[in-house]
């Protein structure tokens, strides 16, 4: 299950209607199930990132706004929503497993680009359905992660 945080909803409205500056970059980071992200999650410090190392970098994978990193935009009149997909994001374990230690990745979160990683705003979250980890040489891939905007 994927969802918007209230922080993310407010940010999109600000970018769209108030001329608030969009972040230069976004990040997709992996977090454990120690604290599940939800609508009221505001900053990355409220979550527990997986242990860095062996191909995973603290703060996550950098995405640049535009058609390359956000590679599919669709108007879905049947589902009454707008859909945006993030390009496939791949972390390949090298020299050990991902995560390096501790719990596996249960959620992927979309963050802004605050220079202090703990202060990055959490805009979206995606439940990976179980804690994920990969061994040396294997890849952990987020494929076709989709951001939806719809009416409820």
């Amino acid at each position: 299950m994927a969802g918007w945080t209230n922080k993310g909803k407010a940010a999109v409205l600000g970018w769209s209607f108030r001329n608030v500056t969009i972040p230069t970059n976004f990040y997709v980071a992996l977090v454990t199930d120690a604290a599940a992200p939800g609508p009221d999650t505001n900053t990355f410090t409220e979550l527990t990132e997986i242990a860095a190392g062996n191909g995973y970098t603290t703060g996550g994978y950098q995405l640049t706004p535009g058609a390359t990193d956000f590679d599919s935009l669709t108007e879905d009149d049947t589902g009454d929503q707008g859909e945006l997909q993030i390009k496939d994001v791949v972390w390949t374990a090298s020299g050990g497993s991902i995560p390096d230690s501790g719990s596996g990745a249960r959620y992927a979160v979309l963050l802004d680009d605050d220079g202090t990683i703990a202060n990055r705003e959490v805009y979206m979250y995606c439940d990976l359905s179980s804690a994920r980890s990969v061994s040396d040489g294997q890849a952990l891939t987020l494929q076709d992660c989709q951001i939806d905007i719809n009416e409820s």
Side-chain angles (χ1 to χ4, degrees):
M1 177 175 123
W4 285 92
T5 64
N6 296 326
K7 179 70 70 180
K9 294 172 196 172
V12 167
L13 291 172
W15 303 330
S16 299
F17 300 107
R18 303 278 306 267
N19 234 9
V20 174
T21 303
I22 190 169
T24 302
N25 296 296
F26 293 93
Y27 288 84
V28 175
L30 300 174
V31 298
T32 71
D33 61 3
D40 296 329
T41 303
N42 288 311
T43 59
F44 199 41
T45 193
E46 297 170 50
L47 305 171
T48 302
E49 186 173 20
I50 66 166
N54 304 326
Y56 181 81
T57 304
T58 300
Y61 185 97
Q62 182 178 307
L63 299 168
T64 303
T68 299
D69 288 355
F70 294 87
D71 61 359
S72 175
L73 177 62
T74 306
E75 177 184 333
D76 176 2
D77 290 332
T78 302
D80 294 329
Q81 63 186 17
E83 302 168 349
L84 179 69
Q85 282 187 351
I86 298 171
K87 74 175 187 175
D88 294 350
V89 176
V90 180
W91 291 276
T92 301
S94 177
S97 63
I98 296 174
D100 185 38
S101 62
S103 299
R106 174 60 193 260
Y107 302 94
V109 292
L110 182 67
L111 310 168
D112 76 347
D113 61 354
D114 191 296
T116 303
I117 294 171
N119 294 339
R120 289 185 179 161
E121 294 181 341
V122 179
Y123 295 140
M124 301 278 312
Y125 55 92
C126 183
D127 188 343
L128 304 178
S129 73
S130 64
R132 308 294 173 109
S133 37
V134 293
S135 300
D136 190 14
Q138 294 182 323
L140 194 158
T141 303
L142 299 180
Q143 186 174 22
D144 299 330
C145 283
Q146 186 165 298
I147 300 169
D148 298 330
I149 294 180
N150 54 37
E151 282 188 58
S152 56

